[in-house]
Amino acid sequence: MKIEGKEYRTIWFDDKSQTVKIIDQTKLPHQFIIKDLKTAKDAINAIKVMEVRGAPLIGGTAAYGIVLSIMERNDPNFIKKNSEDLIQSRPTAINLKWAVDRVMKKLSGVNNNELLKVALDEANAICEEDIKFCKNIGLNGLKIIEEIYSKKKDTVNILTHCNAGWLATIDWGTATSPIYHAHQKGIKVHVWVDETRPRNQGANLTSYELNEEGIPNTIITDNAGGILMQRGQVDMCIVGTDRTLSNGDVCNKIGTYLKALSAKDNNVPFYVALPSSTIDWSIKDHKQIPIEERNSEELSHVEGVDENNEIKKVRIYPQKSKSLNLAFDVTPAKLVTGLITEKGICEASEKGLKGLFK
Ligand code: MRU
């Protein structure tokens, strides 16, 4: 998708410099900076500090992390250790493990002198596949927006939480892909963007990328969705997911659950958009999902630009106060109207998912 009219992807391998290029998302929306990742440690750090974030993108970054590891030292123990560290770098999104396992499986039994080429081909393939899947999620989700538009004959108001846009994937996004496709078809859409405290991915990233594509959007506080739904100002919700269980339970950015409860109470359809890479077929109970607990400084401090356009961080809480910063929650399948996937839309249930994927 575009930034200042120029097409970008969130990550790519640059043949000339032999580095992995990313858009540093910690600086958005105030500064647009492309950063080089040169080592596996750089990739691990980029995931940890959230220079890259969003389940599919951290999966792609982890895949390139293996490539960088081989470039640094073509030694099986070194590569294995880096693969473990990459998986551990953020615990909740399943895409990390999925991508690392996929590259490592490709490498098994490959001659030392071919490891780099095989890893790079696989990392590129993971990213190309994600783009294709996100595009298909868009085409499938478009049908829901078209249906609402044909009945309403007026702007379709869509609420989203966190950033499940193209910046969270390689391109198109998951939750935003149906929106981009609708906009391109001339359907009038307007997006309610949840600010998404504490890191404000909605305000800083979703609103930013929608603006760059010319899509009308309004930032709201995380607590405003309920009243908008009661007032009939939300036609549907679409969110992303970091881990989808085979029973249809969905783990996503903290606050998603409360939006789903509100949507249920107000008969607002609540959809979750996902590529199959976020499905965790292995665990059955959402209590087994490792929920990332992040530094409490993300709550106690906020970042923005000062009058000189310089990024500044300030404390907003009493110094002595404690805070708890859980990054994700789980929305039970019974609150989800449907899962929008690259293969079609299904019920949020084992039957629904297996019907499409097994
Ligand atoms: O903590 P983040 O910014 O990585 O969280 C991202 C989300 O929760 C997204 O909604 C999720 O990864 C789905 S992205 C397509």
Side-chain angles (χ1 to χ4, degrees):
M1 307 300 287
K2 290 191 279 302
I3 293 176
E4 290 188 2
K6 189 172 169 208
E7 291 280 349
Y8 284 96
R9 288 178 177 185
T10 52
I11 191 165
W12 66 97
F13 186 82
D14 183 52
D15 284 323
K16 203 166 150 217
S17 62
Q18 293 284 294
T19 61
V20 174
K21 304 262 186 198
I22 58 162
I23 298 169
D24 180 355
Q25 300 195 15
T26 60
K27 300 287 185 297
L28 291 176
H30 310 298
Q31 296 171 356
F32 179 75
I33 293 173
I34 292 176
K35 196 172 167 171
D36 282 350
L37 307 181
K38 296 180 179 149
T39 63
K41 272 215 165 60
D42 287 349
I44 292 165
N45 184 59
I47 296 169
K48 277 192 174 156
V49 304
M50 291 170 75
E51 287 167 351
V52 287
R53 22 70 51 207
L57 176 56
I58 57 180
T61 309
Y64 283 120
I66 307 282
V67 174
L68 294 171
S69 177
I70 300 168
M71 287 169 68
E72 233 178 311
R73 209 189 313 160
N74 196 337
D75 159 9
N77 292 331
F78 181 71
I79 299 166
K80 186 163 182 292
K81 170 80 175 82
N82 279 320
S83 74
E84 286 160 4
D85 291 349
L86 282 160
I87 291 176
Q88 295 306 319
S89 57
R90 284 194 75 189
T92 303
I94 189 69
N95 301 58
L96 270 177
K97 182 170 160 35
W98 170 84
V100 169
D101 287 351
R102 183 165 150 176
V103 178
M104 292 302 280
K105 199 168 159 200
K106 274 272 160 174
L107 296 183
S108 94
V110 170
N111 286 341
N112 253 20
N113 56 354
E114 281 175 32
L115 283 179
L116 180 58
K117 185 187 177 313
V118 172
L120 183 57
D121 284 351
E122 196 59 12
N124 287 336
I126 284 173
C127 291
E128 290 302 328
E129 187 183 276
D130 189 66
I131 295 171
K132 199 172 91 194
F133 285 1
C134 285
K135 186 171 180 190
N136 285 341
I137 288 169
L139 294 169
N140 292 327
L142 169 65
K143 293 174 206 143
I144 306 167
I145 300 177
E146 278 177 326
E147 213 176 292
I148 297 173
Y149 190 61
S150 70
K151 280 192 200 133
K152 193 180 172 190
K153 298 192 174 32
D154 201 353
T155 304
V156 180
N157 288 302
I158 302 166
L159 184 143
T160 190
H161 191 67
C162 194
N163 173 257
W166 75 269
L167 290 166
T169 63
I170 313 302
D171 207 352
W172 288 108
T174 58
T176 56
S177 187
I179 298 170
Y180 288 134
H181 280 87
H183 180 72
Q184 287 179 3
K185 268 198 102 175
I187 295 174
K188 280 200 244 161
V189 283
H190 163 261
V191 185
W192 295 112
V193 176
D194 276 357
E195 180 188 29
T196 319
R197 281 282 291 149
R199 287 189 69 111
N200 297 334
Q201 291 96 324
N204 288 341
L205 303 174
T206 307
S207 183
Y208 170 78
E209 62 163 87
L210 292 173
N211 291 342
E212 294 298 309
E213 289 292 328
I215 298 189
N217 67 92
T218 309
I219 298 168
I220 51 173
T221 64
D222 293 335
N223 306 323
I227 188 168
L228 291 174
M229 290 188 213
Q230 283 175 327
R231 287 178 172 180
Q233 288 174 275
V234 182
D235 296 305
M236 69 186 294
C237 303
I238 318 181
V239 299
T241 161
D242 290 83
R243 197 186 287 233
T244 313
L245 299 195
S246 57
N247 66 4
D249 287 353
V250 168
C251 182
N252 192 48
K253 180 55 55 194
I254 193 88
T256 304
Y257 173 44
L258 293 179
K259 287 301 129 68
L261 281 172
S262 204
K264 185 77 169 179
D265 193 43
N266 291 284
N267 289 320
V268 173
F270 187 91
Y271 286 95
V272 179
L274 61 128
S276 49
S277 55
T278 68
I279 305 173
D280 183 347
W281 297 100
S282 72
I283 62 172
K284 300 276 171 233
D285 185 345
H286 72 82
K287 293 195 192 82
Q288 290 172 272
I289 302 174
I291 300 288
E292 179 177 7
E293 191 179 329
R294 297 184 61 86
N295 194 323
S296 62
E297 205 184 282
E298 290 183 350
L299 267 77
S300 59
H301 290 64
V302 287
E303 218 172 70
V305 281
D306 66 10
E307 59 282 5
N308 300 319
N309 230 15
E310 269 169 32
I311 296 181
K312 282 261 158 68
K313 194 187 235 188
V314 294
R315 182 167 54 78
I316 52 167
Y317 286 179
Q319 209 151 15
K320 285 186 185 165
S321 299
K322 277 199 237 157
S323 45
L324 172 69
N325 187 11
L326 296 173
F328 297 95
D329 62 22
V330 179
T331 300
K334 64 180 179 196
L335 300 179
V336 177
T337 310
L339 301 174
I340 308 170
T341 77
E342 74 267 16
K343 286 208 176 170
I345 300 165
C346 71
E347 183 185 272
S349 68
E350 184 144 8
K351 191 168 157 241
L353 279 169
K354 281 199 171 153
L356 288 181
F357 293 102
K358 286 223 163 156

